[in-house]
Amino acid sequence: MRAIATAALLAMLVLPAALPAAELDISVEIPRLNVSEYHRPYVAMWLERPDHSVAANLAVWYDVEMKAGEGSKWLKDMRQWWRRSGRSTPMPVDGVSGATRPAGQHQLRFNDAKGPLKGLPPGKYELVIEAAREVGGREVVSVPITWPGSSPQQLKAKGTSELGQVRVSITP
């Protein structure tokens, strides 16, 4: 009994306490457009370093239901993402790529314990969101962030056509 208590005490002293994971919450609005031929937009979200290199791909929404992967044919319409990361990223990517989303608010949550933010060094980044739509337009919205930062951050940006309100919340 004494040996168990001693071992438990030593484990408490040696093992670091579990720290809560830093979190990045993103809310993106896909606006409802009143056009004759509407197609859901392709959307890419990623984090860029100050030199504009890609630090992490967070999400790529495209038509994954087309047979023989034909939906990936139009990924290059998201020109900025395509040049920086898309052309060298084999699709689909587990946990990153997914189906296009309808008009409305969409929530994404990431943390530093798993997924694309695992191992991301602290620093200044740019959250970039790009949307492109067939028979429509293309738009890029970016939000500068500090990951994970020393205090909670609430940031906003707004698109003008293909993207609506973007809200970013970071909890260190």
Side-chain angles (χ1 to χ4, degrees), residues 108-120:
L108 294 99
R109 173 171 277 183
F110 305 93
N111 66 50
D112 63 354
K114 61 182 179 182
L117 299 184
K118 185 176 182 178
L120 183 70

Side-chain angles (χ1 to χ4, degrees), residues 87-155:
R87 67 176 133 203
S88 63
T89 304
M91 293 305 238
V93 178
D94 190 30
V96 173
S97 55
T100 57
R101 308 284 169 95
Q105 289 284 338
H106 301 281
Q107 313 293 324
L108 294 99
R109 173 171 277 183
F110 305 93
N111 66 50
D112 63 354
K114 61 182 179 182
L117 299 184
K118 185 176 182 178
L120 183 70
K124 295 192 179 295
Y125 296 94
E126 191 99 12
L127 168 66
V128 185
I129 302 171
E130 182 172 20
R133 193 167 46 86
E134 183 181 353
V135 196
R138 186 184 80 82
E139 184 167 32
V140 178
V141 171
S142 56
V143 180
I145 67 167
T146 300
W147 176 256
S150 57
S151 60
Q153 302 168 58
Q154 301 288 328
L155 307 159

Side-chain angles (χ1 to χ4, degrees), residues 38-114:
Y38 180 78
H39 299 274
R40 291 180 178 183
Y42 280 28
V43 176
M45 296 179 213
W46 69 98
L47 291 178
E48 281 187 355
R49 296 178 189 95
D51 66 356
H52 301 292
S53 63
V54 174
N57 278 309
L58 301 176
V60 179
W61 301 339
Y62 69 103
D63 193 344
V64 294
E65 303 249 329
M66 295 181 87
K67 60 184 173 185
E70 284 190 42
S72 62
K73 181 174 155 185
W74 290 282
L75 287 171
K76 58 186 156 215
D77 288 350
M78 296 184 289
R79 295 189 303 244
Q80 191 169 334
W81 172 78
W82 183 255
R83 278 186 231 124
R84 301 226 168 110
S85 175
R87 67 176 133 203
S88 63
T89 304
M91 293 305 238
V93 178
D94 190 30
V96 173
S97 55
T100 57
R101 308 284 169 95
Q105 289 284 338
H106 301 281
Q107 313 293 324
L108 294 99
R109 173 171 277 183
F110 305 93
N111 66 50
D112 63 354
K114 61 182 179 182

